[in-house]
Amino acid sequence: MAKKYVYLFKEGNANMRELLGGKGANLAEMTGLGMPVPQGFTVSTEACTRYYDDGRKIGSDIMDQIYEALATTEKLVGKKFGDLENPYLVSVRSGARASMPGMMDTILNLGLNDVAVKGLANLTQNERFAYDAYRRFIQMFSDVVMGIEKAKFEAQLDAVKALKNAKFDTDLNADDLKEVVKRFKQVYLENKGVEFPQDPKTQLIEAIEAVFRSWDNPRAIYYRRMNDIPSDWGTAVNVQSMVFGNMGNDSGTGVAFTRNPSTGEKKLYGEYLINAQGEDVVAGIRTPQPIATLHDSMPEVFDQFAKIAQSLENHYHDMQDMEFTIERGKLYMLQTRNGKRTAAAALKIAVDLVDEGMLTEEQAVLKVEPKQLDTLLHPNFDIAALKAAKAIAQGLAASPGAAAGKIYFTAAEAADAGRAGIPVILVREETTPEDIEGMDFSKGILTARGGMTSHAAVVARGMGRTAVVGCGELKIDEEKKTVVIDGKTYNEGDEISLDGSTGKVYAGMIKTVEAAVSGDFARLMTWADKARTLKVRTNADNPRDTIQAVKFGAEGIGLCRTEHMFFEADRIAAVREMILADTVEQRKKALAKILPMQQGDFEQMYKALEGRPMTIRYLDPPLHEFLPQKNMIDEIEAIAKELNTSSEKIVEKIDQLHEFNPMMGHRGCRLAVTFPEIAEMQTRAVMQAAINVKKECGYDIIPEIMIPLVGAVKELAFVKKIVVDTINEVFKEQNVTMEYHIGTMIEIPRAAVTADEIAKEAEFFSFGTNDLTQMTFGFSRDDAGKFLGAYYDNKIFESDPFAKLDQDGVGKLVKLAAKLGRETRPNIKLGICGEHGGDPSTIEFCHNVGLNYVSCSPFRVPIARLAAAHAAINSKKSK
Amino acid sequence: MAKKYVYLFKEGNANMRELLGGKGANLAEMTGLGMPVPQGFTVSTEACTRYYDDGRKIGSDIMDQIYEALATTEKLVGKKFGDLENPYLVSVRSGARASMPGMMDTILNLGLNDVAVKGLANLTQNERFAYDAYRRFIQMFSDVVMGIEKAKFEAQLDAVKALKNAKFDTDLNADDLKEVVKRFKQVYLENKGVEFPQDPKTQLIEAIEAVFRSWDNPRAIYYRRMNDIPSDWGTAVNVQSMVFGNMGNDSGTGVAFTRNPSTGEKKLYGEYLINAQGEDVVAGIRTPQPIATLHDSMPEVFDQFAKIAQSLENHYHDMQDMEFTIERGKLYMLQTRNGKRTAAAALKIAVDLVDEGMLTEEQAVLKVEPKQLDTLLHPNFDIAALKAAKAIAQGLAASPGAAAGKIYFTAAEAADAGRAGIPVILVREETTPEDIEGMDFSKGILTARGGMTSHAAVVARGMGRTAVVGCGELKIDEEKKTVVIDGKTYNEGDEISLDGSTGKVYAGMIKTVEAAVSGDFARLMTWADKARTLKVRTNADNPRDTIQAVKFGAEGIGLCRTEHMFFEADRIAAVREMILADTVEQRKKALAKILPMQQGDFEQMYKALEGRPMTIRYLDPPLHEFLPQKNMIDEIEAIAKELNTSSEKIVEKIDQLHEFNPMMGHRGCRLAVTFPEIAEMQTRAVMQAAINVKKECGYDIIPEIMIPLVGAVKELAFVKKIVVDTINEVFKEQNVTMEYHIGTMIEIPRAAVTADEIAKEAEFFSFGTNDLTQMTFGFSRDDAGKFLGAYYDNKIFESDPFAKLDQDGVGKLVKLAAKLGRETRPNIKLGICGEHGGDPSTIEFCHNVGLNYVSCSPFRVPIARLAAAHAAINSKKSK
């Protein structure tokens, strides 16, 4: 038997979403439930895939099935394509597996031709209505299917209106519209070289092809990339009998939700228009009525609709978003789907549905999209205050949240002001690693240059600071400390506000509202925590972020980057002294100055964690990051003065540290191999801090020391020996011992493929998927911007491998390393750190690979908890 | 039963080399053959490994076995440690599995103490001899075993000589030497705080430990790294009864080879000294006699030795290197081993042994070390001419061979002179990719800066040009075109000579002799070619190298880097025009200028290959390599003028092309994705050239097009489509078709792990192990110099992963990719290109993985052919 590509509505059901798309599956389900659905059929997503496989052609077998379904439907509704008495008209709509509203094409009133239009006039006893429908169809078909510009039709319409002295379309009578139709057909002929197609079957096939084609239009591709929808899913096409809401005052059309999609309140919510078609609601020419008023105008219809709405919600166990049309007093359901909602509404609805007994706790957890929580986890502008404000510039929405504060132009001044309690907006041409501290003390960061993966953007996201980057309109003069925005000059201390979710910049301070996990949010998270098996830790380098993360439910720190502590103002001088040292003795002297500060950092962190575990990664970046660039002469001179050395010596060191590919240079554990004294100092700091805090607070601390950038087991063994020897010294000096663990990052491909060897020395692995992605793909995040655009455009990549883990390549190495590691050490602890740790699809992958934890930035912790719960529940279901 | 760590000579044989080391196994073998060997025993290499595993301690079980072997040997020779009548004395010598001459320690006359010295005097009736032996032993033991400086003993010896008015040691009598012994023991006491050990057993254990320790001294580590000897092999220790060649004129000692190790001539070769110990031969105080004269002085001993030598050669089927001692007219064999020999001798001996019926052809092939051929493959200085020359400077021996020519200071002038037939030595501060053409036209390259992996070194090795780099003594003034060497100023056109094998620089032109594969060399290579299964191709980018490689036996080109052609003077302008283009049209216009030149290149290459295959790799480097650096203002202005644009525009482009990590940036197939027109032009050039040469010469050309730096199958599919579409256009235009293959480099880790997917599009894989090594280890070759030293010192790495393939990590990816690739496409062609392709151990790996070919620089082709033969023969043997 030939493969089935076309399904009548009565042949499908809601479970056939992959094949029929969301819209088609739900139309079929409603049909099965006996609800009033205009009948029709769905051309499956597989037909779309074949369309592309066949070189953008609809196979003749599929065409035959379409014609057969058409014939059956015509019989069902008792109408006929192109009929003079009772013409059959259809709508042709896209419908993918995932909802992609507005991304693809729709054609209404298909089936109209020179004969059917008369049939429609006969049937409706309304010639004007019929010709109005016909001219609209010609224009829509020509535009959507044939690509003839709308303007050409508008011009003809205007010409007829001028001729007839008509001001509005509605001033034209049936004869005028016949003239319009005549002219429209002429436009078509002139543009395509053939007559407007009179055969409705030809119209239908062309329209279906147009919908298939629209699956690959730029806005659909963009939408898919944003929403992780694979291009090979394809779209289905729904061919449905037309019903008309514009047949008089006993007709109408509307959209409604079973609950309020903004707040989640349980009350029918929506609006409708009397004597109108769906497009009129969208066009916004007339103001629609609230759905409740339908109760007054058409009580029976309202009751019927309310009953259907309730039973749909009961049936789907979720808030429904429905479209309906009333044709001469008769209600038709055109669509139902689980409605989109705000994060707050999603939480309320999920929790309410549990309380109403409609959902189990685990089902409710699945109803909330982890990514959606993001909007609830950052400060937001007070809605009323925001409405009153006017944006003065637009940049890239690099890190979400809302920030209001005073402008500072250098990191040092930003840090000082921040320390003094002033809300700071750091404004920079672009940021560098030296700005870390200033960024940390700022509410928001605004840069003139850089993209979504620029330093400012990446670091701000990691810190949970609001950031707007690449705002090219800014004219910054860092020396004079001014920035010109929209023609106005702002000085240090002047107030602005940033919306990191929209990229908008505002003058003045707009009131902000802090985020908290409470109420419905907190209840749902309790259920999520019950369901998940994956632990969630955070990446944090200071007590402030740690406390925030713990509030958000972090179960420890998965990645404490010690170098961030090195950049702070009170220690960078000692760090530079260490780098400039010529001998081991000089270096040790400088390190001795850093030791008490670093130890103090760790003590504060251990206290903030209140006994939760912390994985401390040793110094990772290349040392040149701690020195200014060669052309920053003033800074170099200042440092020379401070350290009592010469500028020449510093420049010489900068030259000496210069690397062709710093990403692949002298960093990570390679630093510990060449300068063991750095690892010794860090080990002392960790262990002494742990011993002190354990003594002082009684927490059961088990230090986790992580050696970065290991590629070979001997490398790890070498550094581990330094660490263990130092630990034993500390134990001897203090006459104590305590448990501790030494592990490594797996972030170098060689570490992944030799993980069985590395596990002989490592007690835990943390997958550093940022670097692992860079090395596995062989491109650096800083440079990839130059070509990734072309990769997306050409569909070589469908998502950003730095945001969503590349499971086919990088993921394969993660899986391999996990397997090899466990072969050597069955109980090895496995985690993931880096930005991927907060990405829901990556978290699902981590769950399935059986990692023990994910670690992400503080503001993603609740997202990760929820995503981990989704993964656990879904994997249980699929078993 | 306890594990056996100690073997009497009579318990071993030549096959126990791994356990007993080379020296020990051969002493055992000679013992078994009934030859006169002073008896003793060997402490095994496993004992050495245990010594290190046990934290540098000799286990008590091993000690017991040593004492037991000692007792047995004492009985065997009828002497006793520390005996007053007949004292037993031994030598303690290292002996690893592979010969490491002079790298480890030796102690002679062990067993002497205050009693035994009298015994020795009694036995020899020579008190002076006995005390002389004792004072030598004390000094050697103190130095080698205890680390007391020799100078302290020399000072005491000088003091006694002054006291006794003695000029030479030989002027001291027995009593004087007793005084020396007394003073030496005092030195020992003062330095170690204890008396010189009188117990010979203590002496023995200490000496054995010292030999074990010496396995890990810096020069041994260095030697192992140079010779690929793993550190975990360990060394054995041979404890052998002393015999004395210095007991009068009926005694003597010597070294001999069964054939001449320089020429291979079949004639006993060597020298000896009458009344001397082995160390005297080395010390060079007296001039030894040619071995033939032993026939006159001790005819019976000579005949016995000659007979033993011949039977050893017959036994081992190889030229032997023997040590012997004659004690009072009795011959003792102290060592035999396969002798080291020059490459020329190795070839002659191997071929002669086949002709003599001693070896099969395959056995003969195995007798020549592939790496050794290197010296025969480059021009060498005429030996007589070299002897007369005096070096004026010393740099790093970066690329072997000998070159004599006239100095040029810029690549452009070097190229012009080279084209005019002038022998050129290019002298530069350091070289850059723009110098490629000038380097290619030079006989030799001399730089003041850079190391063994600098640009000049890597490129010169690849091209087979002689190079001396990092010659810090040079004072180059590139503007004035002068270089000061050793105080003398040389101008453009002045003559110098470079020895790339020693790093020496000479004034004037020294006569050179060209390399050729003929005579014994050619015969042996025929046998090698019969034995091997792996094909050998070459990396070549121009007809000259291609012709050279074909002469050396290359079976095609495995890697033609098209970008090297872009740097040539007549096309770099068009390449820059292409890079500076703002629009696709401008870019295409510039590419149209390059097309005929590139096509011409390929035509010449196809002709040089005479029908052999050629894999052409498409443009790979980041585009900024074709532009000058930002600070090279003069060059930028010159280019602006030539291209009729502004300097600002060029600087802007340089900025735009700047990358943080160029190795991981916009290069390889990423260029073809963003600029498909480049791949189109290259495809036209390849196909049009192939069609033309096929027509003109009748060669059966099947173009092999290789897309570089692929990480994902969709990336390859995208570029492949551009290539195939262009090929079809060319076919249509010319109304022809021909077979062609499209494949890819596997040089990105992600490509290796997804090779099953990639093989769906790729007809062949070529492993680009240079980049694959960089990405897999996560360090760039340019930057790794900063820490690799520490890695070697700390034994984290034992060899350079860029010279010898890292089989545990990178090799695992190669194996995985080969397996996955074959799963998808069973007949996929697999090769390797990059510098590893010429490394014998890597070639063995490639043979075992089942690759189809290796590709290496022209001058390594014979080495690769021989190594491939070794791999094939060895793998047959091990089956």
Side-chain angles (χ1 to χ4, degrees), chain A residues 248-290:
Chain A
N249 287 335
D250 56 352
S251 301
T253 188
V255 173
F257 295 82
T258 55
R259 299 179 189 230
N260 185 319
S262 293
T263 64
E265 190 195 1
K266 187 177 179 185
K267 195 174 159 192
L268 207 53
Y269 177 96
E271 45 195 25
Y272 73 104
L273 268 175
I274 291 293
N275 196 15
Q277 269 198 317
E279 49 184 341
D280 301 324
V281 180
V282 179
I285 299 163
R286 289 159 52 197
T287 306
Q289 306 292 311

Side-chain angles (χ1 to χ4, degrees), chain A residues 323-381:
Chain A
E323 288 177 23
F324 63 92
T325 285
I326 305 159
E327 187 185 87
R328 291 178 171 164
K330 180 164 169 30
L331 174 70
Y332 290 98
M333 296 300 296
L334 298 187
Q335 162 142 321
T336 192
R337 59 184 173 194
N338 294 343
K340 303 234 180 235
R341 63 206 81 177
T342 64
L347 289 168
K348 178 166 171 51
I349 291 170
V351 168
D352 285 351
L353 287 174
V354 170
D355 291 341
E356 291 164 26
M358 287 238 265
L359 294 180
T360 65
E361 289 175 359
E362 291 201 343
Q363 284 168 337
V365 164
L366 291 182
K367 289 291 178 194
V368 182
E369 263 307 310
K371 276 188 182 172
Q372 225 184 352
L373 297 183
D374 200 34
T375 57
L376 299 177
L377 295 170
H378 298 275
N380 279 303
F381 287 124

Side-chain angles (χ1 to χ4, degrees), chain B residues 293-308:
Chain B
T293 62
L294 185 63
H295 185 264
D296 307 324
S297 54
M298 299 188 203
E300 275 172 41
V301 171
F302 179 81
D303 286 347
Q304 188 192 358
F305 179 71
K307 210 180 282 170
I308 286 175

Side-chain angles (χ1 to χ4, degrees), chain A residues 231 655-667 669-671 673-674 709 711-712 714-715 718 748-751 753-756 774-784 786-787 790-791 794-798 806-810 812-813 816 820, chain B residues 231 655-667 669-671 673-674 709 711-712 714-715 718 748-751 753-756 774-784 786-787 790-791 794-798 806-810 812-813 816 820:
Chain A
S231 69
D655 278 340
Q656 199 184 318
L657 291 178
H658 172 264
E659 294 184 307
F660 296 98
N661 296 284
M663 173 68 55
M664 307 176 77
H666 192 181
R667 51 178 284 246
C669 68
R670 297 162 197 164
L671 292 169
V673 171
T674 50
L709 217 72
K714 285 191 185 174
E715 209 175 16
F718 180 83
I748 296 267
R750 195 178 186 284
V753 296
T754 62
D756 44 350
Q774 299 194 85
M775 307 285 183
T776 303
F777 274 98
F779 49 67
S780 96
R781 174 140 86 167
D782 293 325
D783 300 310
K786 292 192 178 126
F787 52 86
Y791 274 60
N794 293 308
K795 288 194 284 176
I796 296 171
F797 288 170
E798 301 203 359
D806 157 49
Q807 298 187 12
D808 296 339
V810 181
K812 210 161 164 182
L813 284 176
L816 177 67
L820 292 174
Chain B
S231 70
D655 278 340
Q656 198 184 316
L657 292 178
H658 172 263
E659 295 184 305
F660 297 96
N661 297 284
M663 173 68 53
M664 306 176 78
H666 193 179
R667 51 179 284 245
C669 68
R670 297 162 196 164
L671 292 169
V673 171
T674 50
L709 216 72
K714 285 193 185 172
E715 207 175 18
F718 181 85
I748 296 267
R750 195 179 187 284
V753 294
T754 63
D756 45 348
Q774 299 193 86
M775 308 284 184
T776 304
F777 274 98
F779 50 67
S780 97
R781 172 138 89 168
D782 293 326
D783 300 308
K786 290 194 179 124
F787 51 85
Y791 274 60
N794 293 307
K795 287 194 285 176
I796 296 171
F797 288 170
E798 301 204 359
D806 157 49
Q807 298 187 13
D808 296 337
V810 180
K812 210 160 162 183
L813 284 176
L816 177 67
L820 291 174

Side-chain angles (χ1 to χ4, degrees), chain A residues 472-668:
Chain A
E473 306 157 44
L474 307 186
K475 303 258 168 303
I476 301 176
D477 188 326
E478 294 191 351
E479 282 204 9
K480 287 198 197 145
K481 297 193 182 160
T482 59
V483 54
V484 180
I485 315 178
D486 200 20
K488 200 188 144 194
T489 302
Y490 294 77
N491 297 300
E492 183 178 289
D494 285 354
E495 295 174 345
I496 59 171
S497 300
L498 309 178
D499 188 335
S501 310
T502 64
K504 286 194 164 45
V505 181
Y506 299 90
M509 296 209 8
I510 304 174
K511 196 180 154 198
T512 57
V513 187
E514 276 300 314
V517 181
S518 57
D520 295 333
F521 194 170
R523 262 185 89 192
L524 191 101
M525 292 310 292
T526 324
W527 303 335
D529 288 346
K530 259 194 276 179
R532 72 188 161 94
T533 55
L534 206 56
K535 298 260 178 210
V536 175
R537 293 193 184 189
T538 191
N539 302 345
D541 324 314
N542 60 58
R544 215 157 1 122
D545 284 355
T546 308
I547 291 165
Q548 177 67 70
V550 166
K551 268 192 206 155
F552 279 159
E555 295 166 288
I557 289 178
L559 177 63
C560 172
R561 301 182 192 85
T562 52
E563 60 269 17
H564 284 185
M565 301 164 169
F566 280 29
F567 282 109
E568 295 206 13
D570 55 341
R571 54 203 71 173
I572 185 80
V575 172
R576 284 171 176 157
E577 190 184 325
M578 185 265 289
I579 293 170
L580 291 167
D582 289 319
T583 64
V584 175
E585 285 63 39
Q586 284 175 15
R587 198 153 43 237
K588 284 191 172 170
K589 215 180 106 204
L591 285 164
K593 293 183 195 169
I594 304 172
L595 172 59
M597 303 190 250
Q598 179 119 74
Q599 181 179 330
D601 293 331
F602 292 140
E603 286 175 2
Q604 285 185 58
M605 300 287 287
Y606 276 129
K607 285 180 188 173
L609 281 167
E610 301 176 325
R612 294 176 184 83
M614 167 162 68
T615 304
I616 295 171
R617 183 181 74 182
Y618 278 17
L619 189 65
D620 186 56
L623 297 182
H624 64 72
E625 287 197 8
F626 297 96
L627 294 179
Q629 286 173 351
K630 207 173 157 181
N631 55 8
M632 298 165 78
I633 297 164
D634 292 351
E635 262 218 73
I636 291 174
E637 275 174 12
I639 295 170
K641 215 169 147 191
E642 188 178 1
L643 297 183
N644 202 13
T645 179
S646 70
S647 294
E648 290 70 41
K649 163 129 201 197
I650 295 175
V651 169
E652 196 185 304
K653 178 60 77 168
I654 293 172
D655 278 340
Q656 199 184 318
L657 291 178
H658 172 264
E659 294 184 307
F660 296 98
N661 296 284
M663 173 68 55
M664 307 176 77
H666 192 181
R667 51 178 284 246

Side-chain angles (χ1 to χ4, degrees), chain B residues 480-522:
Chain B
K480 286 199 195 143
K481 298 191 180 163
T482 60
V483 55
V484 180
I485 315 178
D486 200 20
K488 201 187 144 193
T489 302
Y490 295 78
N491 295 299
E492 182 178 288
D494 285 352
E495 297 174 344
I496 59 171
S497 299
L498 309 179
D499 188 333
S501 310
T502 64
K504 285 192 163 47
V505 182
Y506 299 89
M509 299 215 357
I510 304 174
K511 196 179 156 198
T512 58
V513 188
E514 276 300 315
V517 181
S518 57
D520 294 333
F521 193 170

Side-chain angles (χ1 to χ4, degrees), chain A residues 443-454:
Chain A
K443 298 281 177 197
I445 294 119
L446 174 63
T447 70
R449 277 193 275 161
M452 292 299 284
T453 56
S454 64

Side-chain angles (χ1 to χ4, degrees), chain A residues 859-875:
Chain A
F859 284 86
R860 296 195 77 91
V861 166
I863 297 172
R865 286 160 66 199
L866 184 54
H870 277 213
I873 297 166
N874 286 330
S875 83

